[in-house]
Amino acid sequence: MKLLIILSKALLAIYTCAAIAFCFYAKSTNDIGLQMLSLGLVLAPFAAMFLGAFLLGRLTPSARARTTLRTPASPTNTPIDRLSRSETVQTQPVPDEVYWAEAHMADVETGDAFRAFIDKACPTARLPMPPAAQIDRIATWFDTENAKRNDYVCVPPIAVIRAPRATQDVTKGGHSWFGGRPMLGDQPWPLTSDGQPMHHRATIDLAEVSAFAVPPGLPNHGKLAFFAYLHKEPYEGKVLYVPAATTPTLPPENLPHIFYEGAFSFGRKDYTALDAPKEYLHWQVGFMELPMDQSYSEKSARDVLNQAFPDASRINLHTAALADVYPDITQPLFWDSAQRYAKIVTLAETHLEDTIRDAQFRVNRGDQGAAAQLAYLQENTHALRRFIDEVTKWARPHDRWDAMTGSDRLDLSEFMARLTPDNPDALGLHLYFPVRILKSNMTTISPQCDATLRCVARGPEALYQRLPQPVKDRLDQTHRLPGPSQWHQMFGMGVSVQVAGEEHQYDHLLLQLQTDHMMNGEWAGSVVVQYWISPENLRRQAWDQVVVTMEAD
C-alpha cells in the first residue's frame, strides 16, 4: 500500500510537470484554445482530488466497502448492501469486510495490531465499535493470514513448455505431459459437484520437478494429475497425487466434448459441438527454471522466455503466417476445408425465412432496391436448394482428411465463383447470404483452411505427419508457448489477471495454464487457470484442499 501511494505521487508529479510545460508552450503560441486546454490540464488533478475527498467523506461504510474491496479472501463472505442516506451506521451491522479493509489499508498484519487499531480507527472512519465477538473473529483471521505469510517460502517459477513436435512423436510416453490420459491407479476419475467428469489437463512427474527448487513439503516422487471443468459455471478443478501407476486410465464415457459455446461458431471455427474431441492431445512437456522477481508481472521471467523463444506467435495459428515457408498452405490441402465450406453454404437455407423477412422489412421502409431482391429471393428458392444440394453431394463422399487435388480445388473455386456478387453468372445466389451469416466466407476459403490447419497441427500423430516439413518446423519455432508474454508455469508468484494472485499471494502455485491454441485453448480473450495450495496443506499433502481459479482479461 505504501509503495502504491509513493507511485501515485510520482505519477502525479510527472503529470503536473508535463501539464505546466504544456502551459508555457500554449502561451508562446498565443492560441487561446490551447491556453484554456493547458489550464484545464493543470487544474484537473486537483479538482479530482478535491472531488474524491468529498465523496469519500460522504460514503457510508458499506458503500466504501464496495469501492475498496477486490478480494473475497476476507474473514466472511457477507453480502454488502448499500445504506440509504436516511439510515445511520448504527441501524445495521457493519460487515467484517469493512473493518478488514480499513485495517488492511493501515498495513495491519496481526490480531493484536487489529485490536489496537480498531479502538482508534472507528471514530475517525465514522464506524461503530464492533462487538467483541466480531473483533475476535477478524483478529483471528489476521493471525491466520500472518501465520501463512511467515510460513510461505516463495521459490523460483518453472516454465512448463511443450516439447518440439517436428521430429518426434510427443503424443505418447514421456514423464510429464499435457492432456492425454492420466495414470490414476485405483483412484476414481474426478467429478464435479453435480457429477460431471472433469477434463485431464496435465500430469507432472514430481521426480523431474525435484531437480529444481521446490516448495517445502512437495514430494520428490510420484505424479500430480490436474483436472478442470471449465464449460460452464461453477468452474471446478481437482488435483490427485498418484504415488505409483504405469497404466493410462480410460475416461468416463460421458466425458463432455471440449467445446465452448461462446468461443466457437458453426462451420467457421475449429470444431462443432458434435465433432469436437473429448480429450486434450497428449503432449510431452519439459521444464525451464525462470528468475524470480516477486511481482505479478513476472517481467524477468518474460524476458528470459522471449530470449529463448524470440519468434513465439502472439496470435492463433493462421495459414497466412506460414505462406512464406510453404505458399500452398493457403490453399485447401484436405477435404476438411471443402466440407467446412459446404456446411456454411447450407446456412443460407437454414436462415432463408429470416433473409426473406429482412428483405420484406426493407421494402416496407421504402428501400427501392429491396423490392427486386425480395422478388428474386421468393422466385429462386429452388435454384438455391439445387446449388446447396450440388455442393453437398460434391463434398460429402470424401473422407475429411483425404488430400485435395488440383482438380478438386478448381471445382471448389467454381462453386465459390457462383456466389460472387460481381459474377454475371452468379444468378444472384449471394443474396441468400446476409452479412450475419458471414457473407465474406462465401468467396474465400481462408477461414476454413485456417481451421483445418489448427485441427491437423494439434491432431493425432498420423495426421500431423501429413503436414509439409517446413510447416512443422515453423510451428515448433512459433507455437511452443501460448505466446511471447504467456507461458505455463509451476511455482513463483504467477500471473494476476484480476485478483487471484493477490488472494493467494501466500499459497503455492502448483500449476498455471494459459490460453494455448495448440491445446484447444479457444476461450475468448486470455484465460488463466491456476491451482493453489497453502503451505500447511502442502506439508500435509492435503490435495483435496487445492483451490482452482480461472480468470479472464
Side-chain angles (χ1 to χ4, degrees):
M1 182 62 66
K2 293 180 180 178
L3 179 61
L4 181 62
I5 294 173
I6 294 174
L7 180 61
S8 300
K9 291 181 178 179
L11 291 175
L12 179 60
I14 295 173
Y15 173 87
T16 304
C17 292
I20 293 174
F22 184 66
C23 281
F24 283 105
Y25 168 75
K27 184 177 181 180
S28 66
T29 62
N30 292 323
D31 187 321
I32 298 298
L34 280 180
Q35 291 176 6
M36 295 299 294
L37 175 61
S38 64
L39 181 61
L41 290 175
V42 172
L43 296 178
F46 298 100
M49 286 189 294
F50 175 80
L51 180 61
F54 174 77
L55 291 177
L56 188 61
R58 302 280 295 185
L59 285 176
T60 65
S62 56
R64 185 179 302 171
R66 285 184 180 270
T67 60
T68 59
L69 280 184
R70 297 180 60 206
T71 169
S74 45
T76 67
N77 195 28
T78 307
I80 302 173
D81 300 320
R82 186 179 298 274
L83 299 175
S84 66
R85 290 188 178 184
S86 61
E87 293 177 310
T88 64
V89 175
Q90 289 78 11
T91 61
Q92 180 174 328
V94 178
D96 292 359
E97 289 88 346
V98 176
Y99 298 108
W100 176 88
E102 292 288 344
H104 183 71
M105 288 188 291
D107 295 328
V108 170
E109 295 183 351
T110 66
D112 289 341
F114 174 75
R115 289 185 173 90
F117 164 81
I118 204 67
D119 289 334
K120 301 177 182 178
C122 286
T124 304
R126 300 197 310 177
L127 292 171
M129 180 62 67
Q134 188 175 18
I135 293 177
D136 292 340
R137 183 171 62 245
I138 301 173
T140 300
W141 183 87
F142 273 107
D143 284 335
T144 302
E145 286 297 297
N146 187 53
K148 183 191 290 188
R149 178 167 51 249
N150 294 333
D151 197 18
Y152 175 74
V153 177
C154 188
V155 298
I158 301 173
V160 187
I161 303 170
R162 285 183 283 101
R165 194 179 182 187
T167 58
Q168 62 178 328
D169 184 359
V170 301
T171 64
K172 58 185 177 182
H175 297 287
S176 301
W177 60 90
F178 287 147
R181 293 175 178 175
M183 297 178 181
L184 302 182
D186 58 356
Q187 299 187 64
W189 192 281
L191 305 177
T192 65
S193 55
D194 61 354
Q196 294 295 318
M198 299 184 186
H199 284 106
H200 173 243
R201 303 307 307 272
T203 286
I204 301 297
D205 183 7
L206 297 179
E208 276 194 303
V209 174
S210 64
F212 304 91
V214 299
L218 187 75
N220 60 6
H221 64 280
K223 297 181 186 296
L224 290 181
F226 296 84
F227 294 83
Y229 183 85
L230 306 175
H231 285 66
K232 59 182 179 180
E233 295 188 62
Y235 306 121
E236 298 182 49
K238 196 166 187 178
V239 175
L240 298 181
Y241 173 67
V242 185
T246 58
T247 304
T249 302
L250 294 176
E253 292 185 1
N254 62 335
L255 186 69
H257 292 274
I258 304 171
F259 183 81
Y260 304 92
E261 289 288 352
F264 285 81
S265 60
F266 176 77
R268 176 177 173 85
K269 292 290 186 181
D270 302 358
Y271 306 105
T272 67
L274 298 179
D275 65 11
K278 288 190 171 184
E279 301 175 61
Y280 291 92
L281 179 68
H282 180 118
W283 200 310
Q284 296 179 29
V285 298
F287 305 95
M288 175 189 292
E289 188 172 51
L290 301 173
M292 181 170 58
D293 58 11
Q294 297 282 359
S295 73
Y296 295 118
S297 65
E298 298 281 13
K299 181 179 183 301
S300 299
R302 185 187 307 117
D303 293 342
V304 169
L305 285 169
N306 287 346
Q307 185 175 4
F309 299 91
D311 299 315
S313 176
R314 292 182 178 274
I315 58 175
N316 200 348
L317 186 58
H318 294 281
T319 54
L322 301 167
D324 60 326
V325 296
Y326 193 80
D328 286 349
I329 196 67
T330 58
Q331 299 298 317
L333 300 181
F334 303 97
W335 273 92
D336 176 76
S337 300
Q339 291 175 357
R340 289 173 184 273
Y341 179 81
K343 289 179 181 179
I344 293 179
V345 167
T346 64
L347 292 178
E349 184 174 14
T350 303
H351 293 272
L352 180 60
E353 293 184 4
D354 292 338
T355 304
I356 293 177
R357 187 184 304 111
D358 291 346
Q360 183 65 63
F361 177 76
R362 287 186 284 114
V363 169
N364 296 339
R365 293 183 57 185
D367 187 335
Q368 297 180 353
Q373 179 179 345
L374 177 61
Y376 181 89
L377 292 172
Q378 293 171 331
E379 295 171 5
N380 290 275
T381 300
H382 292 298
L384 169 71
R385 288 173 175 155
R386 284 196 302 270
F387 174 77
I388 293 174
D389 187 61
E390 186 179 353
V391 174
T392 303
K393 288 182 177 179
W394 169 77
R396 182 185 299 157
H398 299 273
D399 183 87
R400 62 185 295 200
W401 300 121
D402 285 344
M404 292 192 73
T405 65
S407 175
D408 296 332
R409 293 177 192 142
L410 181 61
D411 291 342
L412 178 59
S413 298
E414 291 177 353
F415 280 122
M416 297 171 65
R418 290 164 64 179
L419 297 179
T420 304
D422 56 0
N423 182 356
D425 299 324
L427 302 177
L429 288 180
H430 68 280
L431 298 176
Y432 288 98
F433 296 88
V435 174
R436 70 172 178 277
I437 313 178
L438 305 172
K439 185 187 297 184
S440 62
N441 277 15
M442 301 301 103
T443 57
T444 178
I445 195 66
S446 294
Q448 290 74 43
C449 290
D450 291 343
T452 298
L453 171 64
R454 288 190 288 270
C455 288
V456 176
R458 59 187 177 219
E461 183 65 14
L463 180 60
Y464 174 81
Q465 288 302 332
R466 297 178 62 186
L467 285 174
Q469 190 63 40
V471 172
K472 292 187 289 187
D473 292 338
R474 174 61 66 84
L475 293 181
D476 277 351
Q477 180 183 356
T478 59
H479 282 81
R480 286 182 59 199
L481 297 180
S485 297
Q486 297 175 317
W487 61 92
H488 310 298
Q489 173 179 324
M490 298 182 72
F491 316 138
M493 301 287 288
V495 174
S496 186
V497 177
Q498 294 180 12
V499 297
E502 298 172 8
E503 294 173 2
H504 296 277
Q505 60 180 324
Y506 302 118
D507 290 331
H508 293 297
L509 177 63
L510 289 178
L511 183 65
Q512 170 180 285
L513 298 174
Q514 301 214 35
T515 297
D516 190 336
H517 296 294
M518 296 296 281
M519 292 298 298
N520 295 89
E522 286 290 351
W523 297 296
S526 296
V527 174
V528 178
V529 179
Q530 295 167 315
Y531 298 78
W532 307 91
I533 189 169
S534 70
E536 180 183 359
N537 286 328
L538 180 57
R539 281 196 306 272
R540 295 193 299 114
Q541 297 187 22
W543 306 110
D544 59 336
Q545 297 300 308
V546 170
V547 176
V548 183
T549 60
M550 186 181 86
E551 295 183 329
D553 60 3

